[in-house]
Amino acid sequence: MPSDTVPVAFDVYRYQPGRDAAPRYQRYTLDLSPHTPVLTGLLRIRDEVDPSLGLRYSCRSAICGSCAMRINSKSRLACETPVGEELQRHGRIVVEPMANQPVVRDLVVDQAPFWQEYRGIEPHLRVDPRRPMPEGKPNPMTPAEVDRFHDTPRCIACAACYSACPAVADDPAFPGPMALAKLYRFVVDPRDAARQDRLVRIQTEGLWLCLRCHLCTEACPKDVRPSERIRDLKEMAIAAQGATEHGSRHAVGFKTNLRDAGVLNEMKLVRQTYGLLGMLPQLPHGLKIWRKKPEVARRPHPIEGREELEGIYRALDSEDGK
Amino acid sequence: MKLAYYPGCVAQESGRELDLSTRWVCRTLGIELVEFPKFSCCGSGFIDEANEVLNVAINARNLAIAEAAGLDLMTICSTCQGMLSLAQHRMLDSTVRAKVDAALRPLGIDYRGSAKVTHLLRVLVEGIGLDAIRAKVRRPLSGLKVGAFYGCHLLRPSDETGWESGEEPHSFEDLLSALGAEPVQYRGRVLCCGFPIQFVKPETAGRIAGRQILDAKHHGAEAMATPCPLCHTSLDAYQGPAGKLVGERLDMPVFHLPQLVGLALGASPQEMGLARHLVPTEAALARVPTPGR
């Protein structure tokens, strides 16, 4: 045995629905070099210790995206996660299947919900008749056009972002970071004819449920930065259709609200988002808050130098003055 | 230590107890806060959704105000911290920078990018130092099990906010230990409070907040603490509806970070504005022994 190995304990989630009463964690200890990827450790467990361990993998090189799982709570690729770094950071290695998808067996999940969301955004070009595909030839784009979405095609559909997303966990209406990043890729593709349709549809199909928590961007092994592409989609959706939903009304309301005084008028923003009638369901709990914090209903004191803000809005906000 | 104080909107309005307790703590620890009535709101992530460049410009103006006075800027809100850091980061992009400069220059505003943006948590842990704080503790929060709740934008995206690990931060727990409290480890401490969609879909926002409170509770927390007034709004002001959505009575007192520091340094509950919370804090504080003086 090489001398640079250390004992590494893996606490692995074990569960087969229909057979096991409840999930359990099973400990396996191996002597491994700190540079060993978690996936290699798991394969050695399966091949040398316990052939019943279920896991999914293929390329072992961070290309196929098959081995995403939760390692010490973080959704990531097991093939590019060295055991030494995990031990250093957490003092242990807990391996669990991805979240937000039902477990099939042990570390294997059913990815059907993830792929269903992906299909839902129509991940293919609807060719613009004004820019037809030349017969038998590629349809070229300029480098500047390609630059707008050069990072989203890096996605390997590993679903680590989907597993990490709290909006996916708590609201089935949210399509998830990967589907939205892919949607962005088609929305900015100059050859696509469906841009307007896509933006209008997504406003009512979950776009505004993103929490901006950036857990997807942290989880992504390919630096696709889904949370930032979702932000781009929001701005484009408002530009395409105006503020039609609570989410977009809140964003646009905040923007106009700030122009008035430089600080937020909390009550006015609620009205801008919901409208007067829409505020009614908020009222009973709103009153409870108001009793403790009467300032929520007060007009805030404007900042000094408001004219500077107005100048900034005039220069940079095309909607300014409307 | 002298810093430009960026209180943000909420701490000046519905979250006044945060401003109150921050001032008390800074006064006690010798941190001089310089106020700038020209500071505007940071846009709270919402203006960024509506107009990215406008959002950068608004915050570049805030940063330029501190720069002109030769001061670094201290926030007391994870979202303000995130938005100001984001503006600094996006101003490194020459296209964005050109648009923003073109809007600011005619107004006589010169953004140079020299001011640092730092949160009160970091000022306490790195600027003042845990040993110095420990030495000033008059009422150790002994026995109080506290779940720290960081707030997304203090941690992520980690390559933009870049202070401590977004995955396994520990500054807040270190501070709680220095105050004599017992920090509770739970996964939810680095997750989202639900606030950004409180006005988009309150049911989902409430379930998310409730889930994090339950996580803290199941790991033994008797109280939570947050460096962000928006998280505080979700976890305290909206805890009632959150409890109904997760089907459990939560009864979790939630402190603003400087409130716990102040209490440990000898401030009274009144001085920390605790009566303004929706979830009472008395039961949690009753666990803390009163100093025998």
Side-chain angles (χ1 to χ4, degrees):
Chain A
M1 185 178 301
S3 58
D4 65 343
T5 61
V6 290
V8 178
F10 294 84
D11 291 312
V12 183
Y13 178 97
R14 303 297 310 270
Y15 183 48
Q16 191 168 345
R19 194 195 66 184
D20 302 336
R24 66 198 155 89
Y25 290 82
Q26 191 162 350
R27 171 159 292 198
Y28 303 96
T29 307
L30 299 176
D31 284 312
L32 296 171
S33 146
H35 306 293
T36 312
V38 170
L39 177 62
T40 306
L42 293 172
L43 290 175
R44 276 194 50 191
I45 292 169
R46 190 198 64 182
D47 295 343
E48 299 168 20
V49 186
D50 185 349
S52 74
L53 177 64
L55 73 158
R56 182 184 274 141
Y57 72 99
S58 179
C59 76
R60 309 178 202 212
S61 310
I63 293 166
C64 74
S66 301
C67 68
M69 55 185 74
R70 280 179 299 163
I71 301 168
N72 289 324
S73 298
K74 191 182 176 189
S75 301
R76 58 198 310 167
L77 298 180
C79 66
E80 59 164 10
T81 305
V83 292
E85 278 178 26
E86 288 303 303
L87 287 176
Q88 202 176 10
R89 209 178 284 151
H90 302 269
R92 58 186 189 152
I93 300 179
V94 181
V95 187
E96 296 165 301
M98 281 197 284
N100 299 336
Q101 297 148 92
V103 172
V104 177
R105 200 183 96 195
D106 301 336
L107 302 174
V108 180
V109 296
D110 177 1
Q111 292 192 302
F114 170 74
W115 289 113
Q116 193 181 326
E117 297 296 354
Y118 178 50
R119 277 194 295 273
I121 60 111
E122 288 188 68
H124 51 82
L125 281 180
R126 283 206 245 152
V127 178
D128 189 338
R130 288 164 303 178
R131 191 170 165 157
M133 290 282 192
E135 195 67 42
K137 285 183 191 159
N139 190 350
M141 287 180 279
T142 65
E145 287 172 335
V146 177
D147 257 1
R148 294 199 64 193
F149 59 91
H150 71 276
D151 47 2
T152 35
R154 285 201 299 255
C155 171
I156 56 173
C158 66
C161 61
Y162 192 82
S163 166
C165 177
V168 168
D170 271 302
D171 201 319
F174 187 59
M178 179 269 202
L180 289 173
K182 289 287 189 186
L183 175 67
Y184 166 87
R185 177 246 171 280
F186 289 100
V187 164
V188 298
D189 190 316
R191 302 164 299 174
D192 191 75
R195 177 191 163 94
Q196 182 73 15
D197 283 2
R198 292 180 192 273
L199 287 172
V200 167
R201 240 185 71 191
I202 202 62
Q203 278 235 59
T204 55
E205 292 184 2
L207 175 63
W208 294 97
L209 292 171
C210 167
L211 293 151
R212 297 188 241 120
C213 68
H214 301 297
L215 282 159
C216 54
T217 291
E218 296 289 312
C220 178
K222 297 295 170 190
D223 202 28
V224 170
R225 307 185 81 81
S227 52
E228 293 176 10
R229 302 295 75 80
I230 295 171
R231 189 223 67 82
D232 295 340
L233 281 174
K234 286 173 175 171
E235 184 169 346
M236 288 189 288
I238 292 171
Q241 197 194 9
T244 57
E245 306 304 308
H246 285 157
S248 41
R249 287 168 61 103
H250 198 71
V252 171
F254 206 112
K255 189 182 72 178
T256 51
N257 190 310
L258 195 74
R259 191 189 194 280
D260 295 341
V263 280
L264 183 64
N265 182 332
E266 296 175 72
M267 188 58 91
K268 185 176 171 191
L269 182 60
V270 179
R271 200 173 69 233
Q272 285 169 313
T273 304
Y274 290 118
L276 269 177
L277 273 181
M279 281 170 79
L280 288 178
Q282 306 277 328
L283 212 59
H285 191 71
L287 280 171
K288 282 187 196 165
I289 298 177
W290 173 77
R291 250 181 261 133
K292 293 282 188 173
K293 299 164 178 276
E295 301 84 2
V296 289
R298 261 182 230 161
R299 191 195 289 245
H301 202 64
I303 62 161
E304 287 176 16
R306 249 170 63 207
E307 63 291 348
E308 290 176 3
L309 269 190
E310 282 164 16
I312 293 174
Y313 272 71
R314 269 198 303 277
L316 293 174
D317 191 22
S318 58
E319 285 192 327
D320 190 55
K322 278 185 203 167
Chain B
M1 190 184 306
K2 190 170 164 183
L3 292 161
Y5 177 42
Y6 186 87
C9 298
V10 177
Q12 294 177 83
E13 301 296 333
S14 61
R16 259 176 210 192
E17 66 282 1
L18 170 60
D19 174 64
L20 200 72
S21 50
T22 300
R23 288 173 191 275
W24 192 98
V25 165
C26 290
R27 207 162 47 236
T28 306
L29 292 173
I31 302 166
E32 187 185 341
L33 300 179
V34 183
E35 294 184 55
F36 293 90
K38 286 180 79 174
F39 277 150
S40 78
C41 166
C42 74
S44 194
F46 294 107
I47 295 184
D48 186 40
E49 295 177 329
N51 184 335
E52 178 182 23
V53 179
L54 177 70
N55 184 60
V56 175
I58 289 170
N59 286 306
R61 173 182 171 276
N62 285 326
L63 291 160
I65 292 169
E67 279 176 4
L71 293 170
D72 289 335
L73 198 140
M74 184 185 86
T75 66
I76 51 171
C77 167
S78 299
T79 300
C80 295
Q81 178 68 28
M83 283 302 115
L84 290 160
S85 304
L86 180 77
Q88 284 181 323
H89 193 81
R90 296 218 176 127
M91 282 295 269
L92 299 173
D93 176 318
S94 54
T95 318
V96 174
R97 172 113 198 202
K99 287 182 194 165
V100 173
D101 278 347
L104 296 185
R105 291 245 167 85
L107 303 165
I109 303 169
D110 179 28
Y111 170 87
R112 297 187 305 275
S114 60
K116 287 197 190 75
V117 183
T118 179
H119 188 282
L120 171 66
L121 174 61
R122 189 172 184 183
V123 171
L124 293 176
V125 172
E126 286 184 353
I128 301 295
L130 294 173
D131 288 339
I133 291 174
R134 205 176 285 117
K136 291 202 169 172
V137 168
R138 289 170 54 196
R139 186 192 181 190
L141 306 176
S142 329
L144 187 62
K145 292 181 184 155
V146 184
F149 190 88
Y150 281 81
C152 295
H153 300 275
L154 195 60
L155 303 172
R156 292 183 296 267
S158 53
D159 53 357
E160 288 174 13
T161 53
W163 169 35
E164 59 180 331
S165 157
E167 201 179 320
E168 284 295 306
H170 54 79
S171 60
F172 203 168
E173 283 80 6
D174 296 347
L175 176 64
L176 290 171
S177 299
L179 302 174
E182 191 182 316
V184 171
Q185 291 293 338
Y186 66 110
R187 171 66 182 160
R189 71 200 183 99
V190 296
L191 300 183
C192 179
C193 70
F195 183 83
I197 58 166
Q198 182 63 52
F199 297 96
V200 179
K201 207 164 175 186
E203 314 88 77
T204 306
R207 268 198 304 276
I208 291 171
R211 193 191 282 266
Q212 317 305 8
I213 298 171
L214 275 182
D215 189 17
K217 197 171 183 172
H218 292 159
H219 284 82
E222 298 153 340
M224 291 171 77
T226 174
C228 177
L230 304 182
C231 295
H232 194 268
T233 303
S234 271
L235 300 174
D236 176 67
Y238 284 94
Q239 190 178 122
K244 288 193 188 104
L245 287 160
V246 294
E248 249 182 82
R249 223 185 130 77
L250 298 170
D251 290 326
M252 177 65 75
V254 185
F255 293 91
H256 294 283
L257 164 130
Q259 287 178 324
L260 280 186
V261 180
L263 290 166
L265 298 188
S268 69
Q270 291 74 24
E271 284 171 306
M272 297 294 100
L274 293 179
R276 295 172 50 85
H277 292 203
L278 269 84
V279 181
T281 54
E282 285 85 351
L285 286 183
R287 295 174 187 278
V288 180
T290 332
R293 293 194 310 130

